[in-house]
């Protein structure tokens, strides 16, 4: 069975940092698109950053460019999201997701993310 297990969330003050981790199992990691999504109360789910499990094809949403860094360790089948500096508007539940890589690559907005983790809460206070 496919499993995505997130960790690393918490509460920090504005300007602080957190590093989220997502351990993946049950499928061929390198053949899938991997992404971090977030959802705040009353707001739509947003794709924050994505990467191809085989390497490259990195994309960030505009609001996190220059502050967040997506990375991965293929030996551990683990996805990361380094967030620094954090701002109060980054407060949300963060989810790890995986989906088959489409012909056009993982930067496409049409990537179908079929597998999801349970989420980890990030709270940033001002």
């Amino acid at each position: 069975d496919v499993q995505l297990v997130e960790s690393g969330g918490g509460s920090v003050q504005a300007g602080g940092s957190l590093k989220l981790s997502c351990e993946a199992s049950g499928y061929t990691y390198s053949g899938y698109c991997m992404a971090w999504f977030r959802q705040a109360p009353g707001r739509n789910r947003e794709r924050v950053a994505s990467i191809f499990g085989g390497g490259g094809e990195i994309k960030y949403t505009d609001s996190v460019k220059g502050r967040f860094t997506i990375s991965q360790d293929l030996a551990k089948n683990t996805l990361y999201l380094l967030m620094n500096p954090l701002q109060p508007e980054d407060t949300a539940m963060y989810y790890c997701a995986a989906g088959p890589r489409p012909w056009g690559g993982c930067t496409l907005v049409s990537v179908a993310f079929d597998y999801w983790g349970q989420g980890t809460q990030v709270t940033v206070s001002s």
Side-chain angles (χ1 to χ4, degrees), residues 27-34 52-55 72 74 77 101:
Y27 69 102
T28 304
Y29 182 96
S30 61
Y32 276 64
C33 299
M34 299 296 298
F52 175 44
Q72 58 193 1
L74 297 185
N77 283 357
R101 180 180 181 273

Side-chain angles (χ1 to χ4, degrees), residues 47-72:
R47 187 165 82 174
V48 174
S50 57
I51 189 171
F52 175 44
E57 300 178 11
I58 292 175
K59 184 180 177 71
Y60 297 98
T61 192
D62 287 346
S63 62
V64 308
K65 285 180 181 176
R67 299 190 300 118
F68 289 11
T69 303
I70 190 170
S71 63
Q72 58 193 1

Side-chain angles (χ1 to χ4, degrees), residues 3-7 21 93-96 116-121:
Q3 282 196 319
L4 300 172
V5 181
E6 302 101 332
S7 61
S21 299
M93 184 71 80
Y94 284 71
Y95 299 91
C96 171
W116 295 82
Q118 81 288 351
T120 185
Q121 178 68 37

Side-chain angles (χ1 to χ4, degrees), residues 83-108:
M83 306 181 290
N84 182 32
L86 281 159
Q87 301 170 354
E89 50 267 36
D90 295 318
T91 295
M93 184 71 80
Y94 284 71
Y95 299 91
C96 171
R101 180 180 181 273
W103 183 255
C106 296
T107 59
L108 295 179

